[in-house]
Amino acid sequence: MNGAEINRPRRHPAIAVSPLQQILERLHEQLSGDRRGKLASYIPELAQVDPEPFGIALVTIDGMVYEAGDCERTFTIQSISKPLTYGYALQACGVPAVLRKIGVEPTGDAFNSISLEPDTGRPRNPMINAGAIATCGLIPGADPLQRFQRVLAHIGGYCGRNLELNEAVYLSEKATGHRNRAIAHLLRNFNILEGDPEDPLDLYFRLCSISVNCRDLAMIAATLAHNGLHPLDSVQVLDSQNVRRVLSVMASCGMYDASGAWLYDVGMPAKSGVGGGIMAVLPGQFGLAVFSPRLDEHGNSVRGLGVIKAFSEEFQLHLFHGERGLPGAIRASYSDAVLGSRTERNAAETRLLETYGDSVRVFELKGRLSFGSIELLIREIGRLPGVDVSVTVLDLQRVTAIDDAATVLLAEACVGWRGEQRQMILTGADSVDDFLRRLSQRLEGKLPAEYAEQMFRFADTESALEWAEAAILEAHGSRRDPLAEVALSQQELLQQFSQEELAAIETLVEPVGFPRGTLILGADGNGSGPADCLFFLCSGTVSVSLPGETGSDSAGRRMRLSVLWPGSAFGEIAVLDHDTRSADVIADTGVRCLSFRLAALQRLPSPLAAAIQLKLTQGLARMLARRLRRVNREFQALS
């Protein structure tokens, strides 16, 4: 969208009379008497608004509008502008440029907290004020007014009408926004903002002061629910991949420091503003908005919270509710950027995979696959942009049966996907009786041999993801050689150590090598390596796995927890608590390590030994925290 006025022809949204309309009216009646909360007194102009207006609006993705109460009463959008401005920045500047300036991690802090990464000064996410101000610094334009007009028109595109600035609120915020002014100058200190920090700060104040009504917010939410397509005329306001990114930060960060509880209880991406508005998105279904100015201690509308929580509970709308989605077919769906392979990556590789990992998508399937479930799956995959999604993995290990109709339909789809330059990979297919033979017969002569071989090359999804990630890293010049030597000074665990400390450790480590297939450390205390050592991996790769269960049906099966590359460390239990090891470490290739016993520190002067032990413990804690975050992401993706 540019700064031009919005004059698109559109039909007037009809207000439906239906059971859903009656439910909204019932909720409006039930919560009208709730007068808890206070106005946003820290902005003088907002402290003077009428606290009583109360509106509820719902817009489906095909443009049906349901309303109850004061849905045309205008108020200022405030922080609800943040995800919309962020989406504009993603579209105008590109994902890498935005990620260099703004993170995507939730903070657990208040919206006006100074939550910056300690080394870079990068705001934690775009939903806190610091992140929103940094986003404003990315908006292109010749001058501040042009930048405001561009974003104003973009937000108007969601609403389907021209929007205006509330001049009084803008001047009030600008005159009293001393904390935001301090944040802007701190961002300038870290070069997150470039040039005069007052320009992006002024843009931020203006965007918060845009006048909207409850129907506008519901239309915005419905557009996001509809993959960026406006529900009334299908104009693409925001491309679908950036919609996903916007909804992700709304889900994790959109409700200020109550975001975690919101996602836990309600489970819908949402954004609130201290003007009294809240909008929530149910992807693929509808947008829901509420306006009521009284706020709770977190800055969220009290009545708004009550409406959306009650609505979500009544209709079981939580994103992770097990009965929604594709019935009987999809257990989980995620991209490599959200949940990749179990290979531990360095910082540069992690950034690349977070940026480009959306090109790999996994669908974990379950149960009995029939024509209907495969048809729904095909439609779901068809919604993914072909230019961005180049590898799609169908994980069949939890599938119990695939009937002939489903096999025929899937074969036809695979041929079509090949024409879209989409590499399909089927993993776990050998667990379904006779399926591979039937599918191969259907595909015979219809696919290039190399493509077909790649389809069935991987026994499990983990190995398929490792291959896809290696292809991404190689394409961007960052693929490592697992046999290349990594010196002690380059070990990830030792990056915070001084030259003196590194030199001291150099005198204490001992080189040790293991052939491929060696059980280096065992959960039962066995293993070829010393049991009380920390190992720095210098060359080769190792797998960390849980030992196989006993019994004739499961003997030898292992659950791989991670794959470690040169530069990683293992055997940390020996340093942290001396307890029995909880996993096996097996050499995937021939490996060379440097072993280190904590007891060897006794050979060093006490102050130096204490400093090394403290830094080792801190480094191991960071390493374990990173692994725990990975487990949390996996749990969330598969819930």
Side-chain angles (χ1 to χ4, degrees):
M1 298 291 297
N2 54 29
E5 287 196 353
I6 301 165
N7 291 312
R8 305 198 300 261
R10 51 175 78 243
R11 55 186 172 86
H12 185 76
I15 299 177
V17 178
S18 74
L20 185 54
Q21 176 69 33
Q22 295 170 357
I23 289 169
L24 294 188
E25 291 174 355
R26 188 186 74 224
L27 288 172
H28 188 275
E29 182 180 358
Q30 289 174 350
L31 291 165
S32 290
D34 189 346
R35 289 177 170 81
R36 293 175 298 158
K38 299 178 180 179
L39 298 176
S41 59
Y42 68 94
I43 300 175
E45 197 69 17
L46 295 187
Q48 302 176 34
V49 303
D50 182 358
E52 289 304 327
F54 177 26
I56 308 172
L58 184 149
V59 179
T60 65
I61 63 169
D62 61 351
M64 188 63 72
V65 177
Y66 304 87
E67 295 180 340
D70 302 301
C71 288
E72 296 192 4
R73 177 74 71 96
T74 60
F75 54 97
T76 51
I77 194 170
Q78 296 299 325
S79 286
I80 301 174
S81 66
K82 291 174 180 176
L84 311 179
T85 308
Y86 182 66
Y88 183 88
L90 289 170
Q91 201 144 281
C93 305
V95 176
V98 175
L99 290 178
R100 281 195 294 269
K101 298 286 189 178
I102 308 154
V104 293
E105 293 292 338
T107 66
D109 299 324
F111 63 91
N112 60 354
S113 62
I114 304 176
S115 187
L116 309 178
E117 293 178 353
D119 296 328
T120 66
R122 191 175 70 150
R124 299 285 186 184
N125 67 69
M127 299 296 104
I128 56 175
N129 290 7
I133 295 169
T135 303
C136 289
L138 292 169
I139 303 302
D143 54 62
L145 182 58
Q146 185 187 72
R147 290 191 280 273
F148 171 64
Q149 292 296 338
R150 286 180 173 179
V151 183
L152 180 68
H154 178 72
I155 297 175
Y158 285 98
C159 302
R161 69 183 186 93
N162 294 312
L163 301 176
E164 296 178 352
L165 176 72
N166 185 319
E167 188 78 15
V169 173
Y170 159 64
L171 293 175
S172 181
E173 291 206 42
K174 186 173 183 178
T176 58
H178 305 303
R179 185 177 182 87
N180 286 327
R181 186 162 282 106
I183 290 172
H185 283 266
L186 186 59
L187 293 173
R188 178 64 183 90
N189 178 70
F190 282 102
N191 288 320
I192 298 298
L193 292 179
E194 300 173 9
D196 186 357
E198 292 294 324
D199 287 344
L201 180 65
D202 184 77
L203 176 58
Y204 171 74
F205 289 143
R206 287 179 182 271
L207 293 174
C208 288
S209 304
I210 294 172
S211 287
V212 293
N213 59 41
C214 193
R215 179 187 287 186
D216 291 331
L217 291 190
M219 201 68 73
I220 292 169
T223 302
L224 292 171
H226 197 28
N227 267 331
L229 288 170
H230 195 279
L232 299 183
D233 57 19
S234 296
V235 170
Q236 189 80 46
V237 182
L238 186 67
D239 71 78
S240 60
Q241 287 300 298
N242 286 326
V243 168
R244 180 193 56 76
R245 297 179 178 104
V246 167
L247 291 180
S248 295
V249 293
M250 284 175 59
S252 60
C253 314
M255 299 298 285
Y256 302 137
D257 46 331
S259 296
W262 175 268
L263 187 59
Y264 186 89
D265 293 330
V266 181
M268 295 169 64
K271 188 71 193 84
S272 62
V274 295
I278 297 180
M279 68 175 188
V281 177
L282 187 63
Q285 303 290 324
F286 60 77
L288 177 63
V290 185
F291 165 58
S292 180
R294 291 190 183 93
L295 311 176
D296 67 6
E297 67 273 17
H298 301 291
N300 300 316
S301 169
V302 174
R303 288 169 173 165
L305 293 176
V307 168
I308 300 176
K309 285 182 178 178
F311 198 83
S312 175
E313 182 174 352
E314 182 164 355
F315 286 97
Q316 295 293 295
L317 300 178
H318 199 292
L319 283 174
F320 300 131
H321 189 274
E323 294 180 2
R324 286 218 344 278
L326 300 183
I330 295 184
R331 173 180 180 263
S333 170
Y334 49 88
S335 74
D336 191 85
V338 173
L339 185 62
S341 76
R342 299 180 187 277
T343 301
E344 294 209 355
R345 303 293 184 183
N346 60 32
E349 291 172 333
T350 298
R351 284 193 296 270
L352 276 173
L353 293 176
E354 286 176 349
T355 302
Y356 299 104
D358 285 332
S359 64
V360 180
R361 189 70 181 235
V362 176
F363 290 87
E364 294 190 1
L365 308 182
K366 65 176 182 179
R368 181 181 180 87
L369 302 186
S370 61
F371 180 93
S373 56
I374 290 296
E375 192 273 333
L376 287 170
L377 171 67
I378 291 169
R379 272 198 271 151
E380 186 75 6
I381 294 175
R383 295 189 183 104
L384 303 176
V387 294
D388 291 330
V389 181
S390 56
V391 177
T392 301
V393 180
L394 302 184
D395 185 331
L396 305 176
Q397 65 173 324
R398 297 172 185 84
V399 172
T400 57
I402 305 176
D403 65 25
D404 288 336
T407 303
V408 172
L409 191 57
L410 185 59
E412 293 297 321
C414 287
V415 174
W417 288 326
R418 168 65 179 87
E420 297 173 4
Q421 303 301 309
R422 185 194 305 273
Q423 175 66 60
M424 298 302 300
I425 295 176
L426 276 63
T427 64
D430 55 352
S431 65
V432 186
D433 290 343
D434 205 32
F435 168 67
L436 281 180
R437 181 188 61 80
R438 289 183 285 127
L439 183 62
S440 297
Q441 287 178 343
R442 288 284 176 182
L443 292 174
E444 189 173 357
K446 297 181 180 179
L447 293 174
E450 183 179 354
Y451 183 92
E453 181 182 356
Q454 196 73 8
M455 277 185 64
F456 306 112
R457 173 182 169 187
F458 302 102
D460 53 50
T461 296
E462 173 67 19
S463 55
L465 287 176
E466 289 176 6
W467 168 80
E469 289 174 353
I472 292 173
L473 295 175
E474 186 171 14
H476 294 88
S478 187
R479 187 174 184 182
R480 289 186 289 162
D481 180 359
L483 300 181
E485 192 79 11
V486 174
L488 186 69
S489 61
Q490 297 174 300
Q491 295 288 322
E492 181 183 0
L493 192 58
L494 304 180
Q495 290 308 295
Q496 305 299 319
F497 281 60
S498 67
Q499 291 298 321
E500 179 188 10
E501 292 162 345
L502 285 172
I505 292 178
E506 190 89 51
T507 67
L508 304 179
V509 297
E510 298 179 2
V512 58
F514 302 98
R516 177 181 178 181
T518 301
L519 176 64
I520 302 173
L521 299 174
D524 57 2
N526 296 326
S528 300
D532 59 345
C533 281
L534 174 68
F535 292 87
F536 297 104
L537 186 56
C538 298
S539 68
T541 62
V542 301
S543 288
V544 182
S545 61
L546 297 179
E549 301 175 0
T550 58
S552 59
D553 293 335
S554 56
R557 295 182 183 177
R558 295 176 175 273
M559 177 182 290
R560 187 158 63 171
L561 302 178
S562 63
V563 179
L564 306 183
W565 278 54
S568 301
F570 60 92
E572 64 275 4
I573 297 299
V575 174
L576 292 176
D577 66 2
H578 310 286
D579 200 355
T580 304
R581 300 189 185 279
S582 57
D584 293 343
V585 179
I586 300 173
D588 293 334
T589 66
V591 301
R592 199 182 79 80
C593 303
L594 293 173
S595 65
F596 171 75
R597 285 184 169 88
L598 196 62
L601 289 174
Q602 297 174 1
R603 305 179 205 165
L604 302 177
S606 295
L608 181 58
I612 290 175
Q613 184 166 355
L614 176 62
K615 287 188 177 180
L616 275 176
T617 303
Q618 291 173 335
L620 289 169
R622 286 193 296 270
M623 180 179 73
L624 293 175
R626 185 176 68 248
R627 293 174 182 172
L628 179 59
R629 284 194 294 271
R630 202 272 178 198
V631 172
N632 289 340
R633 288 198 305 273
E634 181 172 3
F635 178 80
Q636 185 176 16
L638 301 181
S639 294

